[in-house]
Amino acid sequence: MLQEPAIALSVREHEEPAVEVRVNFGVFAGREVTPAEIEELARPLRELVPVFSIVAEERHEFDSSGEASLHQVVVEVPGEHVADEVDAVAERIVLLASAWAIDCIAARPGSAF
């Protein structure tokens, strides 16, 4: 049985940032995120953590069998702003970012939701 990919997930492969949540926006939306949508995501994040970064990126991945272009939104929170609550903060951001992405995608015709 194949599992559907998560729309947002927590990544902890390195020390900084302490929390890194990637939103597979383009996979589900079929488009790039807009600046207004990034601002919509920032509003509830401000209530959750005092300092964070949002990166909208276009990634191009290549291998011998082809190439892929991905549009991701990445939320990063430095360690000093999450203390001992890294996992709890990451989980809250994943939930928040998932709901935000679903709302953004549903607001436009031809969305996956």
Side-chain angles (χ1 to χ4, degrees):
M1 175 189 281
L2 293 175
Q3 282 190 312
E4 291 186 9
I7 195 163
L9 57 134
S10 176
V11 179
R12 295 205 46 213
E13 297 175 351
H14 42 79
E15 287 189 31
E16 283 297 325
V19 174
E20 181 177 336
V21 173
R22 294 176 184 241
V23 182
N24 293 318
F25 194 87
V27 170
F28 292 91
R31 63 178 176 82
E32 294 180 17
V33 66
T34 68
E37 290 168 331
I38 292 170
E39 286 295 323
E40 289 173 16
L41 176 57
R43 280 193 283 274
L45 284 171
R46 284 186 181 110
E47 296 175 20
L48 184 61
V49 290
V51 175
F52 59 89
S53 296
I54 299 175
V55 178
E57 64 183 14
E58 181 177 346
R59 295 176 58 99
H60 297 271
E61 297 180 2
F62 302 88
D63 66 21
S64 60
S65 62
E67 63 183 76
S69 176
L70 306 169
H71 301 284
Q72 290 185 329
V73 174
V74 182
V75 177
E76 300 174 339
V77 182
E80 63 268 17
H81 298 286
V82 292
D84 295 332
E85 299 181 13
V86 172
D87 292 334
V89 170
E91 184 177 329
R92 283 186 231 131
I93 292 174
V94 166
L95 293 173
L96 187 151
S98 295
W100 162 82
I102 289 167
D103 288 347
C104 290
I105 294 164
R108 294 225 176 160
S111 68
F113 293 99

